[in-house]
Amino acid sequence: MSSKVTLFIGDLSIGGAERVTVNLANQLSENGHQVEVLVISQQGKLINELSPDVRLSVLPVNRMLWSIIPLAKHLRQSQSDVIIPMMAGPNILTILSRKISLTSPQVIVTEHINRTNNYHNELHDIFPKYLYKYADNVVGVSEGVTEHIKDWAKIDPDKVTTIYNPVVNEGITKISPQTPSEFKRNSKTILGVGRHTPQKDFKTLIRSFAILSKEYSEDVQLIILGKGECTSEYKSLAGRLNIREDVYFPGFVDDPFQYMSNADVFCLSSRLEGLANVLIEAMACGTPVVSTDCPSGPAEVLKNGKYGKLVPIEDPEAMKSALITTLENPISAEKLKKRAQDFSIEESTKKYEALFED
Protein backbone atom coordinates (compact mmCIF):
# COMPACT_ATOMS: atom_id res chain seq x y z
CA MET A 1 0.00 0.00 0.00
CA SER A 2 1.37 3.41 -0.98
CA SER A 3 1.87 6.02 1.75
CA LYS A 4 2.63 9.71 1.79
CA VAL A 5 5.91 9.95 3.71
CA THR A 6 7.85 12.96 4.99
CA LEU A 7 11.46 12.68 6.20
CA PHE A 8 12.54 15.64 8.35
CA ILE A 9 16.15 16.75 8.92
CA GLY A 10 18.06 20.02 9.32
CA ASP A 11 19.84 19.97 5.96
CA LEU A 12 21.53 17.62 3.52
CA SER A 13 25.16 18.46 4.13
CA ILE A 14 27.56 15.52 4.11
CA GLY A 15 27.01 13.38 7.19
CA GLY A 16 25.82 9.95 8.28
CA ALA A 17 22.19 10.77 9.16
CA GLU A 18 21.93 13.00 6.09
CA ARG A 19 23.06 10.21 3.78
CA VAL A 20 20.63 7.82 5.52
CA THR A 21 17.84 10.32 4.79
CA VAL A 22 18.69 10.44 1.09
CA ASN A 23 19.06 6.67 0.79
CA LEU A 24 15.77 5.98 2.57
CA ALA A 25 13.86 8.69 0.67
CA ASN A 26 15.05 7.44 -2.70
CA GLN A 27 14.25 3.81 -1.96
CA LEU A 28 10.80 4.60 -0.53
CA SER A 29 10.07 6.58 -3.69
CA GLU A 30 11.29 3.72 -5.87
CA ASN A 31 8.99 1.40 -3.90
CA GLY A 32 5.98 3.49 -4.90
CA HIS A 33 5.49 5.87 -1.98
CA GLN A 34 4.93 9.61 -2.31
CA VAL A 35 8.03 10.98 -0.58
CA GLU A 36 9.03 14.42 0.67
CA VAL A 37 12.27 15.47 2.37
CA LEU A 38 11.67 18.45 4.65
CA VAL A 39 14.65 20.61 5.68
CA ILE A 40 15.38 23.83 7.53
CA SER A 41 18.13 24.89 5.15
CA GLN A 42 18.29 24.15 1.45
CA GLN A 43 22.00 23.43 1.43
CA GLY A 44 24.34 20.48 1.28
CA LYS A 45 25.90 18.41 -1.47
CA LEU A 46 23.60 15.47 -0.79
CA ILE A 47 20.65 17.42 -2.23
CA ASN A 48 22.04 16.49 -5.63
CA GLU A 49 21.67 12.80 -4.79
CA LEU A 50 17.91 12.98 -4.18
CA SER A 51 15.79 11.23 -6.78
CA PRO A 52 13.84 13.61 -9.08
CA ASP A 53 10.70 11.86 -7.77
CA VAL A 54 11.41 12.99 -4.19
CA ARG A 55 10.04 16.40 -3.30
CA LEU A 56 12.36 18.75 -1.37
CA SER A 57 10.55 21.22 0.91
CA VAL A 58 12.04 23.96 3.09
CA LEU A 59 10.52 25.33 6.30
CA PRO A 60 10.59 29.15 6.44
CA VAL A 61 12.82 29.40 9.53
CA ASN A 62 16.51 30.00 10.19
CA ARG A 63 16.97 27.68 13.16
CA MET A 64 15.65 24.26 14.08
CA LEU A 65 14.50 25.56 17.48
CA TRP A 66 12.04 27.97 15.82
CA SER A 67 10.38 25.36 13.65
CA ILE A 68 7.58 24.10 15.92
CA ILE A 69 4.81 26.35 14.58
CA PRO A 70 5.94 26.25 10.92
CA LEU A 71 6.26 22.47 11.15
CA ALA A 72 2.75 22.18 12.63
CA LYS A 73 1.41 24.26 9.71
CA HIS A 74 3.30 22.09 7.27
CA LEU A 75 1.83 18.93 8.78
CA ARG A 76 -1.68 20.35 8.30
CA GLN A 77 -0.94 21.30 4.70
CA SER A 78 0.96 18.21 3.60
CA GLN A 79 -1.40 15.66 5.17
CA SER A 80 1.41 13.10 5.31
CA ASP A 81 0.55 9.60 6.48
CA VAL A 82 3.98 9.07 8.04
CA ILE A 83 6.70 11.45 9.22
CA ILE A 84 10.21 10.16 9.97
CA PRO A 85 12.43 12.74 11.69
CA MET A 86 16.17 12.12 11.73
CA MET A 87 18.17 12.79 14.93
CA ALA A 88 17.19 14.24 18.30
CA GLY A 89 16.31 17.83 17.32
CA PRO A 90 13.87 16.88 14.55
CA ASN A 91 12.52 14.03 16.70
CA ILE A 92 11.62 16.38 19.56
CA LEU A 93 10.13 19.07 17.34
CA THR A 94 8.06 16.61 15.32
CA ILE A 95 6.46 15.15 18.46
CA LEU A 96 5.62 18.64 19.78
CA SER A 97 4.41 19.93 16.40
CA ARG A 98 2.05 17.02 15.88
CA LYS A 99 0.42 17.74 19.22
CA ILE A 100 -0.46 21.32 18.24
CA SER A 101 -1.18 20.66 14.55
CA LEU A 102 -4.44 18.81 15.19
CA THR A 103 -3.27 16.18 12.70
CA SER A 104 -2.37 12.56 13.29
CA PRO A 105 0.42 11.35 11.02
CA GLN A 106 2.29 8.30 12.26
CA VAL A 107 5.52 9.54 13.86
CA ILE A 108 8.52 7.21 13.63
CA VAL A 109 11.43 8.82 15.46
CA THR A 110 14.95 7.60 14.76
CA GLU A 111 17.70 7.52 17.38
CA HIS A 112 21.20 7.36 15.95
CA ILE A 113 23.31 7.32 19.09
CA ASN A 114 23.61 6.41 22.76
CA ARG A 115 22.75 9.63 24.60
CA THR A 116 24.54 9.04 27.92
CA ASN A 117 27.67 10.89 26.79
CA ASN A 118 29.34 14.30 26.74
CA TYR A 119 29.31 15.00 23.00
CA HIS A 120 25.86 16.40 22.42
CA ASN A 121 23.68 19.38 23.26
CA GLU A 122 22.33 18.89 26.76
CA LEU A 123 18.76 19.70 25.66
CA HIS A 124 19.03 16.98 23.02
CA ASP A 125 19.84 14.53 25.79
CA ILE A 126 17.08 15.59 28.21
CA PHE A 127 14.01 16.15 26.02
CA PRO A 128 14.10 12.80 24.17
CA LYS A 129 14.05 11.01 27.49
CA TYR A 130 10.62 12.42 28.27
CA LEU A 131 9.12 12.92 24.78
CA TYR A 132 9.99 9.79 22.81
CA LYS A 133 7.18 7.92 24.55
CA TYR A 134 4.71 10.08 22.60
CA ALA A 135 5.96 8.82 19.22
CA ASP A 136 4.16 5.93 17.55
CA ASN A 137 7.41 4.08 16.92
CA VAL A 138 11.03 4.54 17.95
CA VAL A 139 13.79 3.14 15.75
CA GLY A 140 17.26 2.45 17.10
CA VAL A 141 19.93 2.10 14.43
CA SER A 142 21.69 -0.72 16.30
CA GLU A 143 20.77 -3.23 18.99
CA GLY A 144 22.95 -1.30 21.42
CA VAL A 145 21.06 1.94 20.76
CA THR A 146 17.71 0.15 20.99
CA GLU A 147 18.48 -1.40 24.37
CA HIS A 148 19.74 1.96 25.61
CA ILE A 149 16.50 3.70 24.56
CA LYS A 150 14.32 1.13 26.31
CA ASP A 151 16.22 1.50 29.56
CA TRP A 152 16.96 5.24 29.42
CA ALA A 153 13.64 6.63 28.16
CA LYS A 154 11.41 3.99 29.82
CA ILE A 155 9.49 3.36 26.59
CA ASP A 156 7.16 0.44 25.99
CA PRO A 157 9.49 -2.16 24.44
CA ASP A 158 6.86 -2.99 21.80
CA LYS A 159 7.24 0.54 20.37
CA VAL A 160 11.03 0.25 19.93
CA THR A 161 12.55 -1.48 16.91
CA THR A 162 16.07 -1.96 15.62
CA ILE A 163 16.50 -1.09 11.94
CA TYR A 164 20.04 -0.88 10.65
CA ASN A 165 20.78 2.20 8.57
CA PRO A 166 20.22 1.92 4.81
CA VAL A 167 23.85 2.08 3.72
CA VAL A 168 24.83 -0.27 0.90
CA ASN A 169 23.69 -0.26 -2.71
CA GLU A 170 25.23 -1.01 -6.08
CA GLY A 171 26.60 2.54 -6.34
CA ILE A 172 29.19 1.86 -3.64
CA THR A 173 30.57 -1.14 -5.48
CA LYS A 174 30.78 0.64 -8.84
CA ILE A 175 34.02 2.40 -8.02
CA SER A 176 35.97 4.56 -10.45
CA PRO A 177 39.27 2.85 -11.34
CA GLN A 178 41.13 6.14 -10.84
CA THR A 179 43.38 6.43 -7.78
CA PRO A 180 43.06 9.72 -5.82
CA SER A 181 46.07 12.02 -6.13
CA GLU A 182 46.91 11.83 -2.40
CA PHE A 183 47.82 8.15 -2.65
CA LYS A 184 51.58 7.66 -2.89
CA ARG A 185 53.07 4.83 -4.91
CA ASN A 186 54.66 2.05 -2.92
CA SER A 187 53.07 3.23 0.34
CA LYS A 188 50.51 1.51 2.50
CA THR A 189 47.53 3.80 3.09
CA ILE A 190 45.44 4.05 6.24
CA LEU A 191 42.16 5.96 5.85
CA GLY A 192 39.86 7.73 8.31
CA VAL A 193 36.57 9.39 7.32
CA GLY A 194 34.23 11.64 9.29
CA ARG A 195 33.50 15.05 10.72
CA HIS A 196 36.42 16.47 12.66
CA THR A 197 34.81 16.56 16.09
CA PRO A 198 35.85 15.27 19.54
CA GLN A 199 33.43 12.35 19.18
CA LYS A 200 35.33 10.99 16.15
CA ASP A 201 38.67 11.22 18.04
CA PHE A 202 41.02 11.38 15.07
CA LYS A 203 43.69 12.50 17.54
CA THR A 204 44.04 8.90 18.67
CA LEU A 205 44.36 7.75 15.06
CA ILE A 206 47.06 10.37 14.38
CA ARG A 207 48.99 9.36 17.52
CA SER A 208 48.65 5.71 16.58
CA PHE A 209 49.93 6.42 13.08
CA ALA A 210 52.93 8.28 14.51
CA ILE A 211 53.93 5.14 16.45
CA LEU A 212 53.20 2.84 13.51
CA SER A 213 55.23 4.89 11.04
CA LYS A 214 58.34 4.42 13.21
CA GLU A 215 57.84 0.68 13.70
CA TYR A 216 56.42 -0.57 10.40
CA SER A 217 58.82 -1.96 7.83
CA GLU A 218 57.17 -0.29 4.80
CA ASP A 219 56.32 3.30 3.91
CA VAL A 220 52.90 4.32 5.21
CA GLN A 221 50.62 7.32 4.90
CA LEU A 222 47.45 8.46 6.64
CA ILE A 223 44.53 10.18 4.88
CA ILE A 224 41.70 11.69 6.93
CA LEU A 225 38.68 12.88 4.95
CA GLY A 226 36.23 15.45 6.30
CA LYS A 227 36.36 18.81 8.06
CA GLY A 228 35.22 20.34 11.32
CA GLU A 229 36.03 22.21 14.48
CA CYS A 230 39.12 20.06 15.18
CA THR A 231 40.78 20.18 11.74
CA SER A 232 43.43 22.74 12.66
CA GLU A 233 44.13 20.86 15.90
CA TYR A 234 44.70 17.64 13.96
CA LYS A 235 47.11 19.33 11.58
CA SER A 236 49.02 20.87 14.47
CA LEU A 237 49.23 17.51 16.24
CA ALA A 238 50.61 15.85 13.11
CA GLY A 239 53.23 18.61 12.92
CA ARG A 240 54.27 18.20 16.55
CA LEU A 241 54.64 14.45 16.03
CA ASN A 242 56.84 15.04 12.95
CA ILE A 243 54.51 13.14 10.62
CA ARG A 244 52.87 16.08 8.82
CA GLU A 245 54.37 15.11 5.44
CA ASP A 246 52.71 11.70 5.65
CA VAL A 247 49.27 12.83 6.85
CA TYR A 248 46.79 14.28 4.34
CA PHE A 249 43.58 16.22 4.95
CA PRO A 250 41.66 16.48 1.64
CA GLY A 251 38.47 17.76 3.33
CA PHE A 252 35.08 16.54 2.14
CA VAL A 253 35.32 14.82 -1.24
CA ASP A 254 32.69 13.99 -3.83
CA ASP A 255 33.57 10.30 -3.94
CA PRO A 256 34.76 8.93 -0.58
CA PHE A 257 34.27 5.38 -1.88
CA GLN A 258 37.12 5.89 -4.32
CA TYR A 259 39.39 6.56 -1.33
CA MET A 260 37.99 3.59 0.58
CA SER A 261 38.51 1.16 -2.28
CA ASN A 262 42.15 2.25 -2.71
CA ALA A 263 43.08 2.23 0.99
CA ASP A 264 44.90 -0.71 2.55
CA VAL A 265 43.09 -0.30 5.88
CA PHE A 266 40.13 1.79 7.01
CA CYS A 267 40.23 2.87 10.66
CA LEU A 268 37.33 4.11 12.79
CA SER A 269 38.67 5.88 15.89
CA SER A 270 35.40 7.10 17.43
CA ARG A 271 34.59 7.35 21.11
CA LEU A 272 30.89 6.90 20.31
CA GLU A 273 28.77 5.75 17.37
CA GLY A 274 25.22 4.66 16.71
CA LEU A 275 26.01 2.19 13.95
CA ALA A 276 29.11 3.52 12.11
CA ASN A 277 27.96 3.87 8.50
CA VAL A 278 31.47 4.60 7.21
CA LEU A 279 32.70 1.28 8.61
CA ILE A 280 30.03 -0.51 6.58
CA GLU A 281 30.81 1.55 3.47
CA ALA A 282 34.50 0.63 3.69
CA MET A 283 33.61 -3.05 4.03
CA ALA A 284 31.30 -2.75 1.01
CA CYS A 285 34.33 -1.52 -0.92
CA GLY A 286 36.23 -4.64 0.19
CA THR A 287 38.63 -2.69 2.41
CA PRO A 288 39.92 -4.29 5.65
CA VAL A 289 38.88 -2.39 8.77
CA VAL A 290 39.98 -1.63 12.31
CA SER A 291 37.64 0.03 14.79
CA THR A 292 37.38 1.15 18.36
CA ASP A 293 34.99 -0.93 20.42
CA CYS A 294 32.88 2.10 21.21
CA PRO A 295 29.17 2.04 21.99
CA SER A 296 27.10 1.02 20.21
CA GLY A 297 27.58 -0.06 16.60
CA PRO A 298 31.08 -1.29 15.65
CA ALA A 299 31.03 -4.56 17.62
CA GLU A 300 27.68 -5.40 16.00
CA VAL A 301 28.91 -4.54 12.52
CA LEU A 302 32.13 -6.51 12.95
CA LYS A 303 30.47 -9.40 14.81
CA ASN A 304 32.75 -8.90 17.84
CA GLY A 305 35.92 -8.98 15.76
CA LYS A 306 35.04 -11.58 13.13
CA TYR A 307 35.21 -9.00 10.33
CA GLY A 308 37.87 -6.66 11.73
CA LYS A 309 39.94 -5.89 14.80
CA LEU A 310 38.28 -4.08 17.71
CA VAL A 311 40.41 -1.98 20.09
CA PRO A 312 39.68 0.08 23.23
CA ILE A 313 38.85 3.75 22.73
CA GLU A 314 41.65 6.31 23.16
CA ASP A 315 44.38 3.65 23.01
CA PRO A 316 46.97 4.51 20.31
CA GLU A 317 49.18 1.50 21.10
CA ALA A 318 46.36 -1.02 20.75
CA MET A 319 45.21 0.68 17.55
CA LYS A 320 48.75 0.59 16.16
CA SER A 321 49.03 -3.14 16.81
CA ALA A 322 45.65 -3.83 15.20
CA LEU A 323 46.56 -1.75 12.15
CA ILE A 324 49.85 -3.62 11.67
CA THR A 325 48.12 -7.00 12.04
CA THR A 326 45.49 -5.98 9.49
CA LEU A 327 48.06 -4.62 7.03
CA GLU A 328 49.96 -7.91 7.20
CA ASN A 329 46.98 -10.29 7.34
CA PRO A 330 43.93 -8.61 5.78
CA ILE A 331 40.51 -10.26 5.73
CA SER A 332 39.42 -11.10 2.19
CA ALA A 333 37.51 -8.45 0.24
CA GLU A 334 34.74 -10.89 -0.67
CA LYS A 335 34.10 -11.78 2.97
CA LEU A 336 33.83 -8.10 3.89
CA LYS A 337 31.56 -7.27 0.96
CA LYS A 338 29.24 -10.14 1.83
CA ARG A 339 28.90 -8.92 5.43
CA ALA A 340 28.21 -5.36 4.23
CA GLN A 341 25.18 -6.59 2.28
CA ASP A 342 23.43 -7.14 5.63
CA PHE A 343 23.10 -3.34 5.70
CA SER A 344 21.55 -2.89 2.27
CA ILE A 345 19.26 0.02 1.49
CA GLU A 346 16.58 -2.36 0.20
CA GLU A 347 16.41 -4.47 3.38
CA SER A 348 16.42 -1.46 5.70
CA THR A 349 13.64 0.24 3.73
CA LYS A 350 11.47 -2.88 3.87
CA LYS A 351 11.70 -2.81 7.67
CA TYR A 352 10.60 0.84 7.77
CA GLU A 353 7.69 0.00 5.47
CA ALA A 354 6.68 -2.81 7.83
CA LEU A 355 6.09 -0.16 10.51
CA PHE A 356 3.75 1.91 8.36
CA GLU A 357 0.18 1.70 9.61
CA ASP A 358 -2.54 0.62 7.21
Side-chain angles (χ1 to χ4, degrees):
M1 180 178 175
S2 176
S3 298
K4 191 173 183 181
V5 184
T6 294
L7 288 83
F8 178 40
I9 194 166
D11 61 40
L12 292 177
S13 57
I14 294 175
E18 291 80 3
R19 189 169 291 281
V20 165
T21 301
V22 171
N23 289 347
L24 181 57
N26 289 347
Q27 189 64 48
L28 285 170
S29 177
E30 186 175 323
N31 290 0
H33 300 282
Q34 187 176 342
V35 182
E36 168 193 53
V37 172
L38 180 64
V39 295
I40 300 296
S41 174
Q42 190 171 347
Q43 65 178 11
K45 289 186 176 182
L46 294 180
I47 287 176
N48 298 325
E49 297 187 21
L50 279 176
S51 164
D53 297 323
V54 174
R55 179 183 176 187
L56 180 67
S57 301
V58 184
L59 285 180
V61 292
N62 295 322
R63 294 183 61 190
M64 181 69 71
L65 187 61
W66 300 339
S67 68
I68 294 178
I69 300 301
L71 179 56
K73 291 180 180 178
H74 186 86
L75 292 177
R76 286 197 294 269
Q77 293 167 358
S78 69
Q79 293 295 305
S80 292
D81 300 307
V82 181
I83 181 164
I84 306 174
M86 294 287 174
M87 299 191 294
N91 288 341
I92 296 164
L93 293 164
T94 298
I95 292 167
L96 294 173
S97 295
R98 182 177 66 168
K99 280 192 170 294
I100 64 174
S101 70
L102 304 180
T103 63
S104 55
Q106 180 184 1
V107 173
I108 303 174
V109 303
T110 60
E111 185 52 71
H112 293 253
I113 211 151
N114 183 314
R115 298 223 151 260
T116 53
N117 64 81
N118 297 317
Y119 305 108
H120 292 87
N121 183 304
E122 197 169 301
L123 292 178
H124 285 182
D125 294 341
I126 294 172
F127 280 99
K129 184 173 183 176
Y130 299 103
L131 291 179
Y132 278 7
K133 67 184 73 173
Y134 298 108
D136 296 294
N137 305 89
V138 180
V139 169
V141 300
S142 66
E143 293 291 349
V145 170
T146 296
E147 291 306 310
H148 167 68
I149 293 169
K150 291 177 183 178
D151 179 61
W152 167 72
K154 309 301 181 188
I155 300 173
D156 179 354
D158 292 338
K159 294 175 68 171
V160 188
T161 305
T162 299
I163 302 179
Y164 288 139
N165 284 336
V167 178
V168 178
N169 63 6
E170 290 182 0
I172 292 180
T173 58
K174 292 179 180 177
I175 306 297
S176 166
Q178 185 176 352
T179 301
S181 60
E182 293 86 358
F183 283 71
K184 296 190 295 186
R185 284 187 179 183
N186 303 317
S187 284
K188 298 288 188 180
T189 301
I190 298 165
L191 179 69
V193 178
R195 287 192 173 118
H196 296 180
T197 63
Q199 176 194 332
K200 301 299 182 182
D201 192 24
F202 287 119
K203 287 196 294 186
T204 292
L205 176 55
I206 293 168
R207 291 189 176 107
S208 177
F209 177 78
I211 303 168
L212 184 151
S213 64
K214 292 181 176 66
E215 296 183 9
Y216 196 59
S217 58
E218 299 181 47
D219 288 337
V220 287
Q221 66 175 151
L222 172 64
I223 299 175
I224 301 178
L225 302 184
K227 289 182 180 178
E229 64 193 76
C230 298
T231 302
S232 60
E233 183 180 357
Y234 296 156
K235 291 179 179 179
S236 297
L237 176 61
R240 292 196 304 273
L241 294 172
N242 297 315
I243 55 171
R244 187 66 184 87
E245 291 185 358
D246 295 316
V247 182
Y248 298 83
F249 298 93
F252 288 115
V253 298
D254 292 332
D255 188 2
F257 309 128
Q258 188 180 66
Y259 285 76
M260 290 177 179
S261 64
N262 280 281
D264 293 284
V265 181
F266 177 87
C267 186
L268 184 87
S269 53
S270 297
R271 294 174 172 132
L272 182 78
E273 288 287 345
L275 182 64
N277 294 355
V278 289
L279 198 62
I280 298 164
E281 290 168 347
M283 293 166 68
C285 293
T287 303
V289 297
V290 169
S291 176
T292 50
D293 190 12
C294 65
S296 297
E300 287 183 46
V301 172
L302 299 181
K303 292 273 189 177
N304 295 314
K306 180 178 179 180
Y307 295 96
K309 295 288 185 183
L310 290 162
V311 300
I313 62 171
E314 301 180 53
D315 190 335
E317 279 285 349
M319 185 175 288
K320 177 265 300 181
S321 297
L323 287 168
I324 290 176
T325 299
T326 305
L327 284 168
E328 294 179 345
N329 298 287
I331 294 174
S332 74
E334 289 309 310
K335 183 177 179 180
L336 294 169
K337 288 179 180 180
K338 185 176 180 180
R339 170 57 176 158
Q341 289 303 316
D342 293 337
F343 305 91
S344 73
I345 293 172
E346 292 83 359
E347 286 304 311
S348 174
T349 303
K350 285 179 186 177
K351 291 180 180 180
Y352 273 97
E353 289 175 305
L355 294 179
F356 295 176
E357 296 171 350
D358 295 333

